[in-house]
């Protein structure tokens, strides 16, 4: 103890210290209210009320057609694929646009785990999965799946689609064989494989997670959410002829999370709802995609499992985002790793 | 002539560094110690090297800060590399010095671990502050690595946010605590807000904290003196000024020179920007992240039951080592299990780094994991105890 | 040669040989020779370090 001349006598010093301690503690308790400072006013506030109706455009600003996407369709013998990505529902939320030749993507069976190894379920006579564009004239399925891995949120190029003959090196390390060579062969139409931690999803099963059915366990807990697509012309040949259908524009109008927990924006745990189409949810913590100058289609068409094959209606009947009671058309740019759509989904033109 | 009432100016500046003898009573002294020649052994200077790296990072960091922009971080980084005079050299050397700093922090820590200099009057506190500095170094490095907005950096940010949300705290207090922590890290999560926050944390918050704690860490060192040189011998002490200063400047120049040579010889290539698409290729995380990345899944028991508790456990163990080292003697072989565990940590870190770097995203089987950890245990503990036995045997024979 | 003279010699070499090179690399073809500039900077620093080393040796010897 310092008993020097400048030291305050013991009893008084103790009182001083106690008082000062109390004062500092009070200051800290009051100061805790400053924690609001780090939470901006617009944090956690949805940027729109519902999922937007968005027209898919190329980087030059022209709407893309079904035929444009079909040029990028991959077959089971493809050795590489162009990555096509657009942002939906908000900016910086990459979504894969995958076109697969010779496959009609149908709703996966309720039991995601197949009984016969992990070979894809063969296309049945069932109607295409809701929200998938199936071109019956060319036998091509176009599906949009979230590009955010449901394990730890890796995005393209870490997560990407490898068609039948392009098994990635990392997948070979965990035991996948080229197809036709054994039990854990790379599926005919390939997988979406995440190189961060090896999550595997099958696009032909509507983005279902493989869980423990692959060569190595898929660490993701959920399947990739599906982004619902529609066209402005009908794929039914009794209504529209093939060239009209393939020339139609593509619209994204929502998210199907039948097999998935929505965590598109990597924000807010607990915002998890199961159902055919999730609405009014998780549109927080980001920037809205820009609005389009194109005219809003009067009718949009999408496949539906039941009761009839095609669901038709005005966009407002699809529960899309509305401002002051009318539907707003947004736009989202499809970018690719090469070709005329080469671009960056984070820094758009 | 009348005598001046005021003190005369002293213009001989070399006298500033003279030893202060008669300070008034009650003065608080922060001293720079004199040491004997033993103090000039190279392994006593590991801390000075880390301090050199810190100062270099601050200087080059300020230079880079002039040209960085959080509005378009990737383009700003490209601009610094391509268009700012000396920008490529400075940015690369900032990166390489960060690598060196982390390496030197590990080296500094393991040296004190093996020598056992974490015990003594204020040394326990110095050790604890050192561990805090170690964590701050790693965190600052990761924040700096995110600032370029590369694909790998954003993967790290996304994974970090998800870890926070899925941690025990994230599950118990999602709104109150994790939302708040995320607010600090990314604001409202738009690109500009995210990078403004990351930038402020990197250049101001974490670096200032690091500098402040380093000042206390260094003051405590000057109070305690060298761990192995606590005997003062009259007439044999070498004054702090100028020898000690010269030694520090000399080693600083060597380290900085080597880093600049590396930066000139191997300029950094900026990896794929966030949002860019490339088929079949992907960047790998920086080497100092890979051991943590690998440890997370190498436990083979999942993140929540294996990886995260394992990392936290190792950190707590390192933090409390001054209190659990109960050996009475000082030597390396006199404190066998501490030494063996130190060797185990060094080997584990090296193996995890190399493994993580070569196979970043692969989960290993539990059998391989067990095999790896038990072999490392054997390799580190067996030789230490064997050498201790041999030494005792040798001493017994000599007597 | 005396230590004192060696120190002067190093200083003169820095001034006459290394410094003009540093300037050359920044003035002729600006920005093209940054890597060589960095190397000459390090040479300059190391020559300075050599002087520091010699002074340090002297100060230690003085005491022991």
């Amino acid at each position: 103890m310092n008993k020097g001349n400048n030291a305050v006598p013991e009893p008084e010093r103790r009182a001083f210290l106690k008082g000062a301690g109390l004062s500092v503690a009070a200051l800290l308790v009051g100061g805790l209210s400053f924690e609001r400072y780090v939470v901006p006013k617009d944090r956690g506030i949805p940027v729109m009320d519902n999922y937007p109706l968005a027209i898919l455009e190329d980087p030059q600003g022209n709407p893309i057609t079904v035929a444009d996407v079909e040029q990028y369709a991959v077959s089971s013998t493809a050795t590489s694929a162009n990555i096509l990505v657009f942002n939906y529902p908000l900016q910086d939320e990459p979504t894969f646009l995958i076109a697969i030749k010779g496959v009609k993507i149908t709703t996966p069976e309720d039991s995601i785990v197949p009984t016969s190894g992990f070979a894809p379920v063969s296309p049945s006579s069932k109607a295409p999965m809701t929200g998938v564009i199936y071109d019956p004239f060319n036998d091509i399925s176009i599906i949009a799946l979230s590009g955010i891995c449901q394990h730890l949120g890796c995005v393209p190029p870490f997560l990407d689609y490898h068609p039948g003959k392009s098994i990635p090196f990392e997948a070979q390390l965990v035991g996948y064989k080229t197809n036709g060579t054994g039990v854990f062969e790379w599926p005919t139409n390939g997988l979406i494989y995440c190189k961060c931690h090896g999550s595997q999803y099958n696009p032909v099963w509507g983005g279902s997670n493989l869980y423990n059915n692959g060569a190595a366990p898929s660490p993701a807990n959920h399947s990739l959410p599906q982004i619902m697509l529609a066209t402005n012309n009908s794929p039914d040949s009794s209504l529209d002829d093939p060239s009209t259908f393939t020339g139609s524009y593509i619209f994204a109008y929502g998210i199907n999370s039948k097999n998935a927990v929505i965590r598109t924006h990597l924000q807010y745990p607990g915002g998890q709802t199961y159902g055919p189409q999730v609405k009014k949810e998780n549109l927080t913590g980001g920037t809205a995609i820009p609005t389009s100058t194109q005219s809003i289609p009067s009718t949009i068409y999408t496949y539906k499992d039941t009761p009839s094959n095609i669901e038709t209606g005005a966009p407002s009947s699809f529960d899309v985002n509305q401002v002051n009671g009318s539907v707003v058309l947004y736009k989202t740019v499809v970018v690719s790793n090469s070709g005329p759509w080469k671009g960056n989904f984070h820094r758009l033109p | 002539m009348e005598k001046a009432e005021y003190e005369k100016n002293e213009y001989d500046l070399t006298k500033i560094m003279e030893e202060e003898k008669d300070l008034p009573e009650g003065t608080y002294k922060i001293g720079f110690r004199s040491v004997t020649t033993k103090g000039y052994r190279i392994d006593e200077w590991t801390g000075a090297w880390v301090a050199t790296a810190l100062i270099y990072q601050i200087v080059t960091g300020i230079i880079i800060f002039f040209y960085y922009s959080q509005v378009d971080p990737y383009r700003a980084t490209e601009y610094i590399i391509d268009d700012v005079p000396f920008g490529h050299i400075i940015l690369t050397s900032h990166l390489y010095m960060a690598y060196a700093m982390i390496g030197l922090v590990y080296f500094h820590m393991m040296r004190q671990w093996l020598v056992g200099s974490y015990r003594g009057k204020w040394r326990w506190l110095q050790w604890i502050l050192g561990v805090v500095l170690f964590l701050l170094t790693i965190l600052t490095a990761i924040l700096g690595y995110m600032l370029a907005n590369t694909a790998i950096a954003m993967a790290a940010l996304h994974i970090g946010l998800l870890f926070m949300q899925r941690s025990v705290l994230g599950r118990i207090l999602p709104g109150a605590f994790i939302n708040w922590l995320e607010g600090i890290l990314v604001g409202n999560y738009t690109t500009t807000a995210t990078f403004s926050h990351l930038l402020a944390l990197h250049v101001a918050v974490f670096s200032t904290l690091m500098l402040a704690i380093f000042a206390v860490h260094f003051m405590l060192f000057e109070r305690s003196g060298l761990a192995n040189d606590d005997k003062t011998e009259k007439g044999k002490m070498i004054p702090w000024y100028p020898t000690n200063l010269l030694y520090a400047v000399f080693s600083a120049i060597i380290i900085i020179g080597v880093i600049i040579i590396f930066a000139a010889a191997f300029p950094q290539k900026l990896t794929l920007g966030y949002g860019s698409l490339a088929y079949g290729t992907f960047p790998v995380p920086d080497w100092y992240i890979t051991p943590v990345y690998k440890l997370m899944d190498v436990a083979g028991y999942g993140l929540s039951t294996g990886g995260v508790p394992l990392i936290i456990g190792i950190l707590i163990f390192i933090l409390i080592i001054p209190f659990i080292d109960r050996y009475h003697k000082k030597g390396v072989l006199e404190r066998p299990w501490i030494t063996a565990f130190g060797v185990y940590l060094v080997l584990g870190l090296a193996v995890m780094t190399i493994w993580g770097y070569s196979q970043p995203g692969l989960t290993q089987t539990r059998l391989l994991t067990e095999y790896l950890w038990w072999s490392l245990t054997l390799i580190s503990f067996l030789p230490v105890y064997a050498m201790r036995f041999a030494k005792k045997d040798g001493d017994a024979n000599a007597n | 040669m005396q230590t004192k003279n060696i120190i002067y010699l190093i200083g003169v070499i820095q001034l006459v040989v290394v410094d003009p090179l540093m300037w050359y690399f920044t003035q002729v073809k600006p920005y093209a020779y940054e890597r060589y500039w960095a190397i000459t900077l390090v040479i300059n620093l190391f020559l300075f370090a050599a002087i520091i080393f010699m002074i340090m040796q002297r100060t230690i010897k003085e005491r022991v």
Side-chain angles (χ1 to χ4, degrees), chain A residues 79-194:
Chain A
T79 52
S80 74
N82 274 65
I83 312 175
L84 300 184
V85 166
F86 63 89
N87 286 320
Y88 190 87
L90 301 181
Q91 296 283 38
D92 266 338
E93 297 188 335
T95 299
F96 286 120
L97 189 62
I98 296 170
I100 303 174
K101 212 175 274 179
V103 174
K104 179 161 75 178
I105 298 176
T106 56
T107 306
E109 301 303 328
D110 277 347
S111 61
I112 297 163
V113 182
T115 47
S116 54
F118 81 124
V121 177
S122 58
S124 63
S125 54
K126 277 179 21 177
M129 189 172 171
T130 311
V132 166
I133 297 174
Y134 177 64
D135 177 354
F137 315 109
N138 299 309
D139 193 20
I140 293 172
S141 287
I142 299 173
I143 186 169
L145 293 169
S146 170
I148 299 172
C149 183
Q150 291 289 315
H151 177 224
L152 285 173
C154 283
V155 296
F158 300 102
L159 177 71
D160 69 359
Y161 171 51
H162 289 263
K165 296 288 183 195
S166 72
I167 168 169
F169 169 71
E170 295 76 17
Q172 288 174 35
L173 280 180
V174 300
Y176 276 111
K177 306 277 189 292
T178 44
N179 60 53
T181 54
V183 184
F184 288 121
E185 60 184 53
W186 198 242
T188 319
N189 290 103
L191 292 176
I192 294 172
Y193 189 86
C194 184

Side-chain angles (χ1 to χ4, degrees), chain A residues 18 105 123 155 169 178 183 208 220 231 241 244 248 254 258 269 275-276 278 282 292 299 307 311 319 344:
Chain A
K18 275 182 189 166
I105 298 176
V155 296
F169 169 71
T178 44
V183 184
S208 291
T231 54
D241 65 52
T244 311
S248 53
K258 182 131 190 170
V278 177
N282 241 17
S292 172
T299 318
E311 189 179 333
D319 275 320
N344 178 310

Side-chain angles (χ1 to χ4, degrees), chain C:
Chain C
M1 222 184 333
Q2 271 186 319
T3 318
K4 195 174 72 185
N5 293 339
I6 297 175
I7 288 173
Y8 285 137
L9 183 68
I10 289 174
V12 171
I13 289 173
Q14 278 178 279
L15 208 61
V16 176
V17 183
V18 188
D19 288 0
L21 266 176
M22 275 182 84
W23 277 94
Y24 175 81
F25 290 138
T26 56
Q27 303 297 313
V28 179
K29 285 200 188 176
Y31 316 126
Y33 292 139
E34 275 173 18
R35 294 167 72 175
Y36 303 111
W37 175 87
I39 303 282
T40 47
L41 173 73
V42 173
I43 293 169
N44 229 338
L45 280 172
F46 279 4
L47 288 173
F48 175 57
I51 293 176
I52 288 181
F53 189 75
M54 279 185 270
I55 299 173
M56 192 174 70
Q57 289 295 333
R58 273 299 298 278
T59 58
I60 294 176
K61 252 182 222 159
E62 226 165 69
R63 276 281 163 168
V64 182

Side-chain angles (χ1 to χ4, degrees), chain B residues 46-282:
Chain B
T46 53
W49 302 339
V50 182
T52 302
L54 177 62
I55 291 162
Y56 186 83
Q57 290 303 77
I58 291 170
V59 173
T60 51
I62 289 169
I63 298 172
I64 298 163
F65 194 20
F66 279 118
Y67 290 99
Y68 180 80
S69 154
Q70 69 272 40
V71 177
D72 194 346
Y74 191 75
R75 200 158 285 163
T77 313
E78 280 178 329
Y79 174 72
I80 290 168
I81 288 177
D82 296 334
D83 295 322
V84 173
F86 311 109
H88 203 179
I89 298 277
I90 293 166
L91 189 62
T92 307
S93 67
H94 191 75
L95 173 78
Y96 290 176
M97 193 57 103
Y99 289 169
M101 188 167 167
I102 291 165
L104 289 170
V105 166
Y106 277 124
F107 188 63
H108 182 54
M109 182 167 83
M110 291 326 293
R111 189 262 173 191
Q112 314 308 342
W113 181 298
L114 293 178
V115 169
S117 58
Y118 43 74
R119 294 186 298 181
K121 197 171 180 189
W122 298 112
R123 292 182 209 280
W124 62 273
L125 183 59
Q126 204 186 332
W127 173 266
I128 286 173
L129 290 181
V131 176
V132 173
L133 282 171
F134 162 71
L135 289 177
L136 282 175
T137 308
I138 301 277
L139 287 174
T140 312
I142 292 172
L143 283 170
Y145 152 97
M146 284 172 181
L147 281 179
N149 198 10
T150 55
I152 189 81
M154 286 304 97
L157 180 65
H158 290 165
I159 291 176
L161 290 177
L162 277 181
F163 268 178
M164 276 154 58
Q165 289 168 2
R166 293 185 191 180
S167 64
V168 177
L169 280 172
R171 304 228 185 240
I172 301 171
L173 304 163
F177 185 67
I178 294 301
N179 181 35
W180 186 76
L181 219 55
E182 273 185 40
I184 293 177
L185 199 59
V186 298
N188 66 3
Y189 211 2
T190 53
T191 303
T192 312
T194 302
F195 283 91
S196 297
H197 282 231
L198 294 180
L199 183 67
L201 290 171
H202 180 74
V203 305
V205 181
F206 279 59
S207 39
T208 307
L209 262 178
M210 204 150 59
L211 200 60
I213 296 175
F214 162 70
V216 179
H217 184 78
F218 180 67
M219 263 168 53
L220 287 175
F221 166 70
E222 290 294 349
R223 283 200 87 160
S224 309
L226 302 173
N228 291 341
D229 190 40
D230 41 11
K231 279 185 234 99
T232 54
E233 289 173 74
K234 202 143 198 201
K236 289 208 169 173
M237 302 311 290
I238 301 166
W240 186 88
Y241 180 84
T243 318
N244 214 316
L245 184 67
L246 287 172
Y247 200 118
V249 172
F250 177 75
S251 60
I253 291 177
I254 299 298
I255 290 169
I256 291 170
V258 169
I259 292 295
I260 294 178
I261 287 174
F262 268 94
F266 311 104
Q268 178 201 8
K269 284 189 189 71
L270 193 58
T271 57
L272 201 64
Y274 174 60
S276 292
L277 300 168
Y279 183 77
T281 57
F282 71 105

Side-chain angles (χ1 to χ4, degrees), chain A residues 320-342:
Chain A
V320 294
N321 187 47
Q322 299 190 357
V323 176
N324 299 329
S326 57
V327 173
V328 178
L329 184 63
Y330 294 84
K331 67 172 180 181
T332 175
V333 178
V334 179
V335 292
S336 175
N337 57 317
S338 63
W341 295 349
K342 187 172 167 60

